[in-house]
Amino acid sequence: MTLIREPDHGTPAVDAATLVSLTIDGRAVTVPEGTSVLRAASEAGISIPKLCATDSVKAFGSCRLCLVEIEGRTGTPSSCTTPVAEGMVVATQTPRLAKLRRGVMELYISDHPLDCLTCAANGNCELQDMAGAVGLREVRYGSDGANHRAAEKDTSTPYFTYDPSKCIVCSRCVRACEEVQGTFALTIEGRGFDSRVSPGAHESFLDSECVSCGACVEACPTATLTETSVIQHGQGEHAVSTTCAYCGVGCSFRAEMQGETVVRMVPEKTGGANAGHSCVKGRFAFGYATHPDRVTTPMIRESIDEPWRETTWEEAIAFAADRFTAIQAAHGPHTIGGITSSRCTNEEVFVVQKMIRAAFGTNNVDTCARVCHAPTGYGLKQTFGTSAGTQDFQSVEHADVILLIGANPTDGHPVFGSRMKQRLRAGATLIVADPRRIDLVRTPHVQAAHHLALRPGSNVALINAMAHVVMTEGLEDRAFIAERCDPDSFAEWAAFIRQPQNAPEALEGLIGVPAADIRAAARLYATGGNGAIYYGLGVTEHSQGSTMVMGLANLAMATGNIGRRGVGVNPLRGQNNVQGSCDMGSFPHEFSGYRSVTDDTVRATFEAAWGAALQTEPGLRLPNMLDAAVAGTFKGLFIQGEDIAQSDPNTRHVTAALRAMDCVVVMDLFQNETAAYAHVFLPGTSFLEKDGTFTNAERRINRVRPAMRPKTGTHEWQAVCDLATAMGHPMAYDDPSQIMDEIAALTPTFAGVSFDRLDRLGSVQWPCNDAAPEGTPIMHADGFVRGQGRFMVTDFVATEERTTRAFPLILTTGRILSQYNVGAQTRRTANVTWHAEDRLEIHPHDAEVRGIAEGDRVSLASRMGATSLRATLTERVPPGVVYTTFHHPITGANVVTTDRGDWATDCPEYKVTAVQVTLANAPADTPTAPVAAE
Ligand code: SF4
Ligand code: SF4
Ligand code: SF4
Ligand code: FES
């Protein structure tokens, strides 16, 4: 392994059909029209010195180092700002250019601390490299003149340092913050000699708008902006390409290492999902992997009232196997089961569901997608024929109108959020449908055309009203419908949706958005060019989550917005491998590739491959397993990397179920809330130790490669195979690539996937098979996977969760940028700097009538339970709605959520809980607000 650095061609690639030929240093070069001379030269292997140019941002032309001579032109233009022209003849190395460049470098170096040997960037500094490249041998101006060497450092953020004494004012950081990240946190203040990078009107980076994405650090050619970890450890000596383990964007990184210590994470420009960008979690929040809280030794105990006893892997596996086997023998195979984790690799998930089906002898397998995107799988399968999003992320660059509903990409999917902002700044129009005023409603140089601040629980009414406008104003794409969709289902749906009860005027009171705004948004989506829908858990985590997904699919089909770049229905998946865990056969009714366990032919292929008789009927979903446990008919659960006692709704019910079981096995990194109810703790591995694949929200299968050995002494897949073997069903692989080979052999959509192919192509989007050996970026291009697109009637049925005088507010939940889900990883990093506690957002009006002031501790109570947290008064939430995150176990936000769920998939209705908010310890007669909605 070596430390590979990706080439920097100086200016961004140009996507143009017309090619231009020119000559550079006597070499014939052909590049797309609009390419800079600097990039054309670089792509041809000709290196022109540069400092202010980097290929992640547009050319700026300030350093004057990249000068060239062009035949027929006077002067020495900067090659970064000069586009190629047909027949152009360029010289990059002449005595005149060499002299000019040395002069430029002399000026830079005359105001630079000459401490290269002790500088953190030593060996990875473009200024140092350029001094060498131009042959700098002396600085005629000396170094005693006016300079910036005493300028004060900013060490306010935990992850990087700003040392202005080393700044060359190239503005790469400012441009990266604007163009790549879209935060506009930085500016160059002052003029001439006094010019300096500044975090706007703020004292420090930490006080500013900066979100610590690190794009500026990446762009900086000197040690001015440097990772704290590099300052501590020095530069890496080898690197491993892998994939972020936080969210469903699935960013590719190069982990630069010193031995088994991560020095820094560098987002890869070749990353299919992130194209060189990252967020604060992926780039910086990796410290949890080596946190002292990690459990690295297996533990067992006879009962949950006893303390844990550390043991060997052999004893822990034997203990778990004996318990599961005893339950099987005494009560039958359907009294045990397991859940897979969307935090684990495809290979780890696949072996768990295989163990449950083949060794446990039951289809009682479920996954944490049950509580997030199960309605996506169901809804898109019903309408389009496949349980996945339709586009790649790059597609957004071709969208004209973006309908963003129930998602908050700048917090939940930050790198995609930045990409979306780039497109919006370039001219696309945005419709946001969200009860809360998320950042994208208004952010620098982006303003939504419409913010439909709908009432929580009224999604289906809104999408029906929008579709009603399309269908009654003649805005549908008749040719697309006739050519691509099932006519009977369309006729039935069209008759339904045209009914007056679906008109915006009939529904505006229920939705809480004026009919005129709904009409305008519907017209814009239907007529504004390429219409792309992006959605998140604000769509799925409802009692009508599946109905809403089908409503989105109906709207996209009715307007012809499926099957090409720039359109589509795009679920923004929560966890890094939620798509993959679903693909791998984690649901009780489906094998990998979403094939029914009741299909005799499909089941026979698995039985033949696994050498086991498999159950013919679907097993229990997780909520059913928990209900059965409380009822005493379900006795044992294997839990892979999931903290259901914290993340699942109605905590009391979950813990009662866990407490009732005879054998709970938890496989995880840390002793979590669920582990308090476990009998066996099998230590898990972090992504830095894993070898396998994750599949992101765009169906992209990315490699996860080990940067260090497992701290637990074994891989998770090995431990699962050992448990299955101990239970009488032998499972063994030499290497996770063999697990992927088995997945490919048994799963038609993965038939062409192998570690070799992934290593060769970088990543592929399934389906990947003989018909699409390099994968499928855009689905349903020539026809729907199910043949014809099917419209589904989407009657609006109000949730049974109603506000009353006792519970007059609606609680909805979400995530924040710096933390991740239940916070098990991010709380063990410096990310707590930004979010040390969950706060309750409440509208000032609702706060005032309750006597609540900013920062007060309040009680949050629902019919299920109560918790307390501090209040933030904000108009981001409308009156009648309160909002919180659920990153800290102490908050216990899910103590108050109900276990009411989606009618089709049981996905919990996290987004709608009727609550009351009072000052903590307030007297019983504290005034309450009037009923907000019924
Ligand atoms: S870390 Fe990101 S948000 Fe902060 S200043 Fe740098 S580019 Fe901007
Ligand atoms: S901080 Fe770095 S990137 Fe920013 S202007 Fe200074 S040298 Fe350039
Ligand atoms: S956007 Fe998601 S996948 Fe990318 S670095 Fe951030 S957390 Fe990781
Ligand atoms: S790299 Fe072209 S002017 Fe700086």
Side-chain angles (χ1 to χ4, degrees), residues 160 173 176-177 181 183-186 205 209-217:
F160 60 86
C173 54
C177 191
Q181 166 58 23
T183 292
F184 294 79
L186 301 179
F205 275 73
E209 309 299 321
C210 169
V211 293
S212 272
C213 71
C216 56
V217 181

Short mmCIF file of all heavy atoms in Angstrom, two decimals, residues 160 173 176-177 181 183-186 205 209-217, ligand 1:
data_model
loop_
_atom_site.label_atom_id
_atom_site.label_comp_id
_atom_site.label_asym_id
_atom_site.label_seq_id
_atom_site.Cartn_x
_atom_site.Cartn_y
_atom_site.Cartn_z
N PHE A 160 -9.64 21.44 12.58
CA PHE A 160 -8.58 22.03 11.76
C PHE A 160 -8.15 23.37 12.33
O PHE A 160 -8.86 23.98 13.12
CB PHE A 160 -8.99 22.15 10.28
CG PHE A 160 -10.21 22.99 10.02
CD1 PHE A 160 -10.12 24.37 9.85
CD2 PHE A 160 -11.45 22.40 9.92
CE1 PHE A 160 -11.25 25.13 9.61
CE2 PHE A 160 -12.60 23.16 9.67
CZ PHE A 160 -12.49 24.53 9.50
N CYS A 173 -9.72 28.52 -0.61
CA CYS A 173 -10.62 28.14 0.49
C CYS A 173 -11.97 28.85 0.35
O CYS A 173 -13.03 28.23 0.53
CB CYS A 173 -9.98 28.49 1.83
SG CYS A 173 -9.45 30.20 1.95
N ALA A 176 -13.87 27.28 -2.46
CA ALA A 176 -14.35 25.93 -2.13
C ALA A 176 -15.59 26.02 -1.24
O ALA A 176 -16.56 25.28 -1.42
CB ALA A 176 -13.26 25.12 -1.44
N CYS A 177 -15.55 26.93 -0.30
CA CYS A 177 -16.70 27.08 0.60
C CYS A 177 -17.93 27.53 -0.18
O CYS A 177 -19.05 27.10 0.10
CB CYS A 177 -16.36 28.08 1.71
SG CYS A 177 -17.58 28.11 3.01
N GLN A 181 -19.10 23.58 -1.25
CA GLN A 181 -19.96 23.36 -0.08
C GLN A 181 -21.22 24.22 -0.14
O GLN A 181 -22.28 23.81 0.32
CB GLN A 181 -19.14 23.63 1.19
CG GLN A 181 -19.94 23.78 2.47
CD GLN A 181 -20.80 22.58 2.79
OE1 GLN A 181 -20.53 21.47 2.34
NE2 GLN A 181 -21.87 22.81 3.55
N THR A 183 -21.69 27.12 1.44
CA THR A 183 -22.01 27.75 2.73
C THR A 183 -21.65 29.24 2.76
O THR A 183 -22.25 30.01 3.49
CB THR A 183 -21.29 26.99 3.87
OG1 THR A 183 -21.88 25.70 3.98
CG2 THR A 183 -21.44 27.69 5.22
N PHE A 184 -20.70 29.67 1.97
CA PHE A 184 -20.32 31.09 1.88
C PHE A 184 -19.90 31.62 3.26
O PHE A 184 -20.28 32.71 3.65
CB PHE A 184 -21.47 31.92 1.30
CG PHE A 184 -21.78 31.60 -0.13
CD1 PHE A 184 -22.53 30.48 -0.47
CD2 PHE A 184 -21.31 32.41 -1.16
CE1 PHE A 184 -22.80 30.17 -1.79
CE2 PHE A 184 -21.58 32.11 -2.49
CZ PHE A 184 -22.34 30.98 -2.81
N ALA A 185 -19.14 30.80 3.99
CA ALA A 185 -18.72 31.22 5.33
C ALA A 185 -17.51 32.12 5.30
O ALA A 185 -17.25 32.84 6.27
CB ALA A 185 -18.42 29.98 6.18
N LEU A 186 -16.73 32.08 4.22
CA LEU A 186 -15.44 32.77 4.21
C LEU A 186 -15.44 33.94 3.24
O LEU A 186 -16.19 33.97 2.27
CB LEU A 186 -14.33 31.79 3.80
CG LEU A 186 -14.15 30.56 4.69
CD1 LEU A 186 -13.03 29.69 4.14
CD2 LEU A 186 -13.87 30.96 6.12
N PHE A 205 -13.73 30.65 13.21
CA PHE A 205 -14.43 29.65 12.40
C PHE A 205 -15.58 29.04 13.19
O PHE A 205 -16.66 28.82 12.65
CB PHE A 205 -13.46 28.55 11.96
CG PHE A 205 -12.69 28.87 10.71
CD1 PHE A 205 -11.66 29.80 10.73
CD2 PHE A 205 -13.00 28.24 9.51
CE1 PHE A 205 -10.95 30.10 9.57
CE2 PHE A 205 -12.29 28.53 8.35
CZ PHE A 205 -11.27 29.47 8.38
N GLU A 209 -20.59 30.74 10.19
CA GLU A 209 -21.53 29.84 9.52
C GLU A 209 -20.88 28.52 9.14
O GLU A 209 -21.56 27.60 8.67
CB GLU A 209 -22.06 30.48 8.22
CG GLU A 209 -22.59 31.89 8.35
CD GLU A 209 -23.76 31.94 9.29
OE1 GLU A 209 -24.56 31.01 9.26
OE2 GLU A 209 -23.84 32.88 10.09
N CYS A 210 -19.57 28.42 9.31
CA CYS A 210 -18.82 27.23 8.90
C CYS A 210 -19.43 25.95 9.48
O CYS A 210 -19.78 25.89 10.65
CB CYS A 210 -17.37 27.37 9.38
SG CYS A 210 -16.41 25.86 9.24
N VAL A 211 -19.56 24.93 8.62
CA VAL A 211 -20.12 23.65 9.07
C VAL A 211 -19.04 22.55 9.12
O VAL A 211 -19.35 21.37 9.17
CB VAL A 211 -21.29 23.21 8.16
CG1 VAL A 211 -22.47 24.15 8.32
CG2 VAL A 211 -20.86 23.13 6.69
N SER A 212 -17.79 22.99 9.09
CA SER A 212 -16.66 22.05 9.22
C SER A 212 -16.69 20.91 8.21
O SER A 212 -16.37 19.78 8.54
CB SER A 212 -16.56 21.49 10.64
OG SER A 212 -15.79 22.34 11.44
N CYS A 213 -17.06 21.24 6.99
CA CYS A 213 -17.05 20.19 5.96
C CYS A 213 -15.63 19.86 5.54
O CYS A 213 -15.37 18.79 5.00
CB CYS A 213 -17.86 20.64 4.75
SG CYS A 213 -17.05 21.94 3.80
N GLY A 214 -14.72 20.82 5.71
CA GLY A 214 -13.32 20.58 5.37
C GLY A 214 -12.97 20.86 3.92
O GLY A 214 -11.82 20.65 3.52
N ALA A 215 -13.92 21.37 3.13
CA ALA A 215 -13.60 21.63 1.71
C ALA A 215 -12.49 22.66 1.59
O ALA A 215 -11.64 22.57 0.69
CB ALA A 215 -14.85 22.09 0.97
N CYS A 216 -12.49 23.64 2.49
CA CYS A 216 -11.44 24.67 2.44
C CYS A 216 -10.08 24.07 2.79
O CYS A 216 -9.06 24.43 2.21
CB CYS A 216 -11.80 25.83 3.35
SG CYS A 216 -12.09 25.33 5.07
N VAL A 217 -10.08 23.16 3.75
CA VAL A 217 -8.84 22.52 4.17
C VAL A 217 -8.27 21.72 3.00
O VAL A 217 -7.08 21.76 2.70
CB VAL A 217 -9.09 21.59 5.39
CG1 VAL A 217 -7.80 20.95 5.85
CG2 VAL A 217 -9.74 22.37 6.52
S1 SF4 B 1 -15.01 23.89 6.62
FE1 SF4 B 1 -16.51 23.96 4.94
S2 SF4 B 1 -18.09 25.36 5.66
FE2 SF4 B 1 -16.29 25.71 6.94
S3 SF4 B 1 -15.22 27.39 5.97
FE3 SF4 B 1 -14.32 25.49 5.20
S4 SF4 B 1 -15.46 25.06 3.31
FE4 SF4 B 1 -16.65 26.57 4.46
#
